[in-house]
Amino acid sequence: MRGFLVVTALALPLCAQNPITDTVKSSYGRVRQNLVETAEVMPEADYAYKLSPAQRPFGEWISHTAVLAYNSCAAMQGVAAPPTAAALHGLTSKADLVRSIRESLEYCDAAFKVMDDKKAATEVSIGDRKLYPITPMIGLVTGLNEHYGNLVGYMRTKGIVPPSSARATTKK
């Protein structure tokens, strides 16, 4: 028990060193999981499904979300988005789109891994544009949650329980 208390006491200051980025990273991790599982759970035949004629098909939401991830995570690092981001528009197959969302979020994983509160509050430049990395970090988490919310409607109308709801019901 004594060793546990010493380890816990030593860990406490470390946990508090980056409260802002740790909070954003935690939120990112949850929505990341939701989006990957969403792309995986929707049947291939429903990737062209639209809730209404004016809306994007499900698959287009996945590619749009991947582009958002690349653009935001590049901005966090103070670099231009990789060419991969632009190439995602027009993908339609489930395999390509699942791969695109996974790869875009892996790109973000690397950007989040090296981010701490000091780096998040240090101005970066992308061409003539100046910003603080915390801005695209928060914007990304907000945008990913909004996109997931849109995708939930697609899943529900197809009788699919969204991943976050499925996990919540298995915990009870």
Side-chain angles (χ1 to χ4, degrees):
M1 180 68 152
R2 185 172 168 213
F4 173 78
L5 292 175
V6 171
V7 171
T8 302
L10 291 173
L12 285 176
L14 296 176
C15 294
Q17 286 183 354
N18 294 293
I20 296 167
T21 51
D22 287 350
T23 300
V24 176
K25 288 175 183 183
S26 177
S27 295
Y28 164 75
R30 284 188 301 277
V31 73
R32 180 199 196 289
Q33 180 181 7
N34 290 340
L35 287 164
V36 170
E37 291 176 3
T38 293
E40 292 170 345
V41 74
M42 184 65 98
E44 170 106 32
D46 293 325
Y47 263 66
Y49 173 65
K50 293 180 175 187
L51 286 173
S52 73
Q55 291 177 306
R56 294 174 185 206
F58 178 88
E60 204 172 292
W61 271 111
I62 298 297
S63 66
H64 176 71
T65 302
V67 170
L68 168 69
Y70 276 120
N71 289 338
S72 297
C73 293
M76 282 171 44
Q77 300 172 79
V79 299
T84 310
L88 299 178
H89 292 292
L91 296 178
T92 56
S93 79
K94 178 178 177 173
D96 288 342
L97 289 163
V98 169
R99 184 173 51 256
S100 74
I101 194 72
R102 281 184 175 280
E103 289 174 355
S104 70
L105 295 171
E106 288 167 0
Y107 178 79
C108 287
D109 293 347
F112 272 99
K113 183 176 182 179
V114 298
M115 193 60 60
D116 58 26
D117 285 6
K118 184 177 179 182
K119 287 180 186 172
T122 302
E123 188 176 72
V124 296
S125 297
I126 305 169
D128 294 338
R129 185 175 163 219
K130 295 185 182 305
L131 59 88
Y132 295 96
I134 192 65
T135 303
M137 284 177 72
I138 292 171
L140 173 67
V141 171
T142 301
L144 293 179
N145 276 300
E146 289 172 351
H147 291 18
Y148 178 64
N150 284 312
L151 291 164
V152 164
Y154 288 70
M155 289 183 285
R156 292 265 185 216
T157 60
K158 289 296 183 175
I160 298 169
V161 177
S164 57
S165 297
R167 278 192 307 280
T169 56
T170 59
K171 288 181 183 177
K172 293 180 181 178

mmCIF file of all heavy atoms in Angstrom, residues 136-161:
data_model
loop_
_atom_site.group_PDB
_atom_site.id
_atom_site.type_symbol
_atom_site.label_atom_id
_atom_site.label_comp_id
_atom_site.label_asym_id
_atom_site.label_seq_id
_atom_site.Cartn_x
_atom_site.Cartn_y
_atom_site.Cartn_z
ATOM 1 N N PRO A 136 -6.948 25.230 -33.622
ATOM 2 C CA PRO A 136 -7.382 24.089 -34.435
ATOM 3 C C PRO A 136 -7.611 22.817 -33.620
ATOM 4 O O PRO A 136 -8.410 21.964 -34.012
ATOM 5 C CB PRO A 136 -6.276 23.914 -35.475
ATOM 6 C CG PRO A 136 -5.095 24.646 -34.940
ATOM 7 C CD PRO A 136 -5.630 25.720 -34.043
ATOM 8 N N MET A 137 -6.948 22.680 -32.480
ATOM 9 C CA MET A 137 -7.188 21.500 -31.629
ATOM 10 C C MET A 137 -8.642 21.481 -31.166
ATOM 11 O O MET A 137 -9.335 20.474 -31.312
ATOM 12 C CB MET A 137 -6.275 21.521 -30.390
ATOM 13 C CG MET A 137 -4.855 21.142 -30.644
ATOM 14 S SD MET A 137 -3.850 21.272 -29.132
ATOM 15 C CE MET A 137 -4.462 19.868 -28.210
ATOM 16 N N ILE A 138 -9.078 22.603 -30.608
ATOM 17 C CA ILE A 138 -10.456 22.683 -30.126
ATOM 18 C C ILE A 138 -11.429 22.643 -31.290
ATOM 19 O O ILE A 138 -12.462 21.982 -31.227
ATOM 20 C CB ILE A 138 -10.649 23.943 -29.257
ATOM 21 C CG1 ILE A 138 -9.844 23.785 -27.962
ATOM 22 C CG2 ILE A 138 -12.121 24.199 -28.963
ATOM 23 C CD1 ILE A 138 -9.776 25.035 -27.105
ATOM 24 N N GLY A 139 -11.085 23.326 -32.373
ATOM 25 C CA GLY A 139 -11.943 23.299 -33.565
ATOM 26 C C GLY A 139 -12.107 21.901 -34.120
ATOM 27 O O GLY A 139 -13.196 21.512 -34.555
ATOM 28 N N LEU A 140 -11.040 21.120 -34.090
ATOM 29 C CA LEU A 140 -11.109 19.747 -34.581
ATOM 30 C C LEU A 140 -12.059 18.914 -33.736
ATOM 31 O O LEU A 140 -12.935 18.227 -34.270
ATOM 32 C CB LEU A 140 -9.723 19.094 -34.589
ATOM 33 C CG LEU A 140 -9.715 17.600 -34.933
ATOM 34 C CD1 LEU A 140 -10.139 17.373 -36.380
ATOM 35 C CD2 LEU A 140 -8.354 17.004 -34.666
ATOM 36 N N VAL A 141 -11.894 18.957 -32.437
ATOM 37 C CA VAL A 141 -12.754 18.151 -31.558
ATOM 38 C C VAL A 141 -14.211 18.569 -31.729
ATOM 39 O O VAL A 141 -15.103 17.719 -31.820
ATOM 40 C CB VAL A 141 -12.288 18.247 -30.091
ATOM 41 C CG1 VAL A 141 -13.286 17.595 -29.154
ATOM 42 C CG2 VAL A 141 -10.924 17.597 -29.936
ATOM 43 N N THR A 142 -14.456 19.866 -31.821
ATOM 44 C CA THR A 142 -15.813 20.359 -32.031
ATOM 45 C C THR A 142 -16.353 19.857 -33.368
ATOM 46 O O THR A 142 -17.466 19.328 -33.440
ATOM 47 C CB THR A 142 -15.832 21.898 -31.995
ATOM 48 O OG1 THR A 142 -15.336 22.334 -30.735
ATOM 49 C CG2 THR A 142 -17.225 22.442 -32.226
ATOM 50 N N GLY A 143 -15.570 20.013 -34.424
ATOM 51 C CA GLY A 143 -15.999 19.581 -35.756
ATOM 52 C C GLY A 143 -16.228 18.080 -35.843
ATOM 53 O O GLY A 143 -17.201 17.627 -36.447
ATOM 54 N N LEU A 144 -15.341 17.304 -35.251
ATOM 55 C CA LEU A 144 -15.506 15.843 -35.280
ATOM 56 C C LEU A 144 -16.784 15.435 -34.552
ATOM 57 O O LEU A 144 -17.509 14.543 -35.016
ATOM 58 C CB LEU A 144 -14.294 15.143 -34.667
ATOM 59 C CG LEU A 144 -12.968 15.261 -35.417
ATOM 60 C CD1 LEU A 144 -11.858 14.541 -34.656
ATOM 61 C CD2 LEU A 144 -13.068 14.757 -36.845
ATOM 62 N N ASN A 145 -17.073 16.083 -33.433
ATOM 63 C CA ASN A 145 -18.309 15.773 -32.716
ATOM 64 C C ASN A 145 -19.539 16.175 -33.524
ATOM 65 O O ASN A 145 -20.535 15.451 -33.546
ATOM 66 C CB ASN A 145 -18.319 16.441 -31.333
ATOM 67 C CG ASN A 145 -17.599 15.606 -30.303
ATOM 68 O OD1 ASN A 145 -17.972 14.475 -30.038
ATOM 69 N ND2 ASN A 145 -16.550 16.164 -29.727
ATOM 70 N N GLU A 146 -19.479 17.309 -34.198
ATOM 71 C CA GLU A 146 -20.598 17.720 -35.058
ATOM 72 C C GLU A 146 -20.802 16.715 -36.199
ATOM 73 O O GLU A 146 -21.932 16.334 -36.505
ATOM 74 C CB GLU A 146 -20.343 19.114 -35.630
ATOM 75 C CG GLU A 146 -20.445 20.218 -34.599
ATOM 76 C CD GLU A 146 -20.005 21.574 -35.137
ATOM 77 O OE1 GLU A 146 -19.453 21.659 -36.265
ATOM 78 O OE2 GLU A 146 -20.204 22.560 -34.407
ATOM 79 N N HIS A 147 -19.717 16.287 -36.801
ATOM 80 C CA HIS A 147 -19.819 15.321 -37.896
ATOM 81 C C HIS A 147 -20.359 13.984 -37.394
ATOM 82 O O HIS A 147 -21.188 13.359 -38.050
ATOM 83 C CB HIS A 147 -18.470 15.143 -38.588
ATOM 84 C CG HIS A 147 -18.020 16.352 -39.361
ATOM 85 N ND1 HIS A 147 -18.533 17.614 -39.184
ATOM 86 C CD2 HIS A 147 -17.088 16.489 -40.313
ATOM 87 C CE1 HIS A 147 -17.950 18.456 -40.010
ATOM 88 N NE2 HIS A 147 -17.056 17.801 -40.703
ATOM 89 N N TYR A 148 -19.885 13.561 -36.241
ATOM 90 C CA TYR A 148 -20.405 12.322 -35.658
ATOM 91 C C TYR A 148 -21.906 12.460 -35.407
ATOM 92 O O TYR A 148 -22.672 11.541 -35.705
ATOM 93 C CB TYR A 148 -19.660 11.965 -34.371
ATOM 94 C CG TYR A 148 -20.197 10.714 -33.707
ATOM 95 C CD1 TYR A 148 -20.112 9.474 -34.341
ATOM 96 C CD2 TYR A 148 -20.808 10.775 -32.460
ATOM 97 C CE1 TYR A 148 -20.609 8.327 -33.738
ATOM 98 C CE2 TYR A 148 -21.296 9.626 -31.843
ATOM 99 C CZ TYR A 148 -21.207 8.410 -32.493
ATOM 100 O OH TYR A 148 -21.713 7.273 -31.896
ATOM 101 N N GLY A 149 -22.324 13.599 -34.905
ATOM 102 C CA GLY A 149 -23.752 13.837 -34.687
ATOM 103 C C GLY A 149 -24.556 13.710 -35.967
ATOM 104 O O GLY A 149 -25.656 13.145 -35.974
ATOM 105 N N ASN A 150 -24.030 14.204 -37.070
ATOM 106 C CA ASN A 150 -24.707 14.045 -38.361
ATOM 107 C C ASN A 150 -24.771 12.577 -38.767
ATOM 108 O O ASN A 150 -25.801 12.096 -39.228
ATOM 109 C CB ASN A 150 -23.985 14.854 -39.444
ATOM 110 C CG ASN A 150 -24.273 16.324 -39.346
ATOM 111 O OD1 ASN A 150 -25.408 16.749 -39.219
ATOM 112 N ND2 ASN A 150 -23.230 17.125 -39.378
ATOM 113 N N LEU A 151 -23.672 11.883 -38.581
ATOM 114 C CA LEU A 151 -23.603 10.475 -38.978
ATOM 115 C C LEU A 151 -24.543 9.599 -38.145
ATOM 116 O O LEU A 151 -25.057 8.590 -38.634
ATOM 117 C CB LEU A 151 -22.166 9.971 -38.886
ATOM 118 C CG LEU A 151 -21.215 10.583 -39.927
ATOM 119 C CD1 LEU A 151 -19.765 10.361 -39.538
ATOM 120 C CD2 LEU A 151 -21.511 10.040 -41.303
ATOM 121 N N VAL A 152 -24.780 9.991 -36.899
ATOM 122 C CA VAL A 152 -25.699 9.237 -36.041
ATOM 123 C C VAL A 152 -27.086 9.169 -36.681
ATOM 124 O O VAL A 152 -27.737 8.119 -36.667
ATOM 125 C CB VAL A 152 -25.762 9.862 -34.621
ATOM 126 C CG1 VAL A 152 -26.962 9.359 -33.837
ATOM 127 C CG2 VAL A 152 -24.474 9.561 -33.862
ATOM 128 N N GLY A 153 -27.543 10.262 -37.263
ATOM 129 C CA GLY A 153 -28.851 10.261 -37.931
ATOM 130 C C GLY A 153 -28.912 9.242 -39.061
ATOM 131 O O GLY A 153 -29.927 8.555 -39.232
ATOM 132 N N TYR A 154 -27.858 9.134 -39.832
ATOM 133 C CA TYR A 154 -27.791 8.159 -40.917
ATOM 134 C C TYR A 154 -27.889 6.737 -40.359
ATOM 135 O O TYR A 154 -28.619 5.902 -40.885
ATOM 136 C CB TYR A 154 -26.492 8.323 -41.703
ATOM 137 C CG TYR A 154 -26.430 9.552 -42.577
ATOM 138 C CD1 TYR A 154 -26.328 10.831 -42.027
ATOM 139 C CD2 TYR A 154 -26.470 9.441 -43.959
ATOM 140 C CE1 TYR A 154 -26.262 11.950 -42.831
ATOM 141 C CE2 TYR A 154 -26.397 10.561 -44.773
ATOM 142 C CZ TYR A 154 -26.303 11.815 -44.204
ATOM 143 O OH TYR A 154 -26.246 12.926 -45.000
ATOM 144 N N MET A 155 -27.126 6.480 -39.307
ATOM 145 C CA MET A 155 -27.143 5.137 -38.720
ATOM 146 C C MET A 155 -28.508 4.811 -38.132
ATOM 147 O O MET A 155 -29.039 3.716 -38.354
ATOM 148 C CB MET A 155 -26.050 5.010 -37.651
ATOM 149 C CG MET A 155 -24.645 4.983 -38.237
ATOM 150 S SD MET A 155 -23.361 4.733 -36.991
ATOM 151 C CE MET A 155 -23.324 6.334 -36.214
ATOM 152 N N ARG A 156 -29.081 5.738 -37.388
ATOM 153 C CA ARG A 156 -30.375 5.482 -36.741
ATOM 154 C C ARG A 156 -31.466 5.169 -37.766
ATOM 155 O O ARG A 156 -32.275 4.268 -37.552
ATOM 156 C CB ARG A 156 -30.792 6.672 -35.880
ATOM 157 C CG ARG A 156 -29.915 6.888 -34.670
ATOM 158 C CD ARG A 156 -30.500 6.231 -33.471
ATOM 159 N NE ARG A 156 -29.725 6.539 -32.265
ATOM 160 C CZ ARG A 156 -29.535 5.685 -31.302
ATOM 161 N NH1 ARG A 156 -30.037 4.488 -31.348
ATOM 162 N NH2 ARG A 156 -28.821 6.033 -30.255
ATOM 163 N N THR A 157 -31.472 5.889 -38.885
ATOM 164 C CA THR A 157 -32.513 5.627 -39.894
ATOM 165 C C THR A 157 -32.306 4.300 -40.607
ATOM 166 O O THR A 157 -33.224 3.789 -41.238
ATOM 167 C CB THR A 157 -32.601 6.765 -40.940
ATOM 168 O OG1 THR A 157 -31.351 6.886 -41.616
ATOM 169 C CG2 THR A 157 -32.995 8.080 -40.297
ATOM 170 N N LYS A 158 -31.128 3.735 -40.474
ATOM 171 C CA LYS A 158 -30.842 2.420 -41.041
ATOM 172 C C LYS A 158 -30.938 1.314 -39.994
ATOM 173 O O LYS A 158 -30.590 0.161 -40.248
ATOM 174 C CB LYS A 158 -29.440 2.403 -41.697
ATOM 175 C CG LYS A 158 -29.355 3.209 -42.966
ATOM 176 C CD LYS A 158 -30.259 2.587 -44.013
ATOM 177 C CE LYS A 158 -30.193 3.273 -45.339
ATOM 178 N NZ LYS A 158 -30.997 2.563 -46.325
ATOM 179 N N GLY A 159 -31.376 1.679 -38.775
ATOM 180 C CA GLY A 159 -31.539 0.690 -37.724
ATOM 181 C C GLY A 159 -30.243 0.272 -37.057
ATOM 182 O O GLY A 159 -30.180 -0.769 -36.398
ATOM 183 N N ILE A 160 -29.205 1.089 -37.197
ATOM 184 C CA ILE A 160 -27.894 0.787 -36.608
ATOM 185 C C ILE A 160 -27.735 1.619 -35.344
ATOM 186 O O ILE A 160 -27.947 2.838 -35.359
ATOM 187 C CB ILE A 160 -26.764 1.103 -37.609
ATOM 188 C CG1 ILE A 160 -26.911 0.235 -38.861
ATOM 189 C CG2 ILE A 160 -25.395 0.913 -36.956
ATOM 190 C CD1 ILE A 160 -26.000 0.652 -40.005
ATOM 191 N N VAL A 161 -27.370 0.979 -34.267
ATOM 192 C CA VAL A 161 -27.111 1.693 -33.015
ATOM 193 C C VAL A 161 -25.733 2.334 -33.137
ATOM 194 O O VAL A 161 -24.744 1.645 -33.407
ATOM 195 C CB VAL A 161 -27.166 0.736 -31.802
ATOM 196 C CG1 VAL A 161 -26.814 1.473 -30.514
ATOM 197 C CG2 VAL A 161 -28.534 0.080 -31.698
#
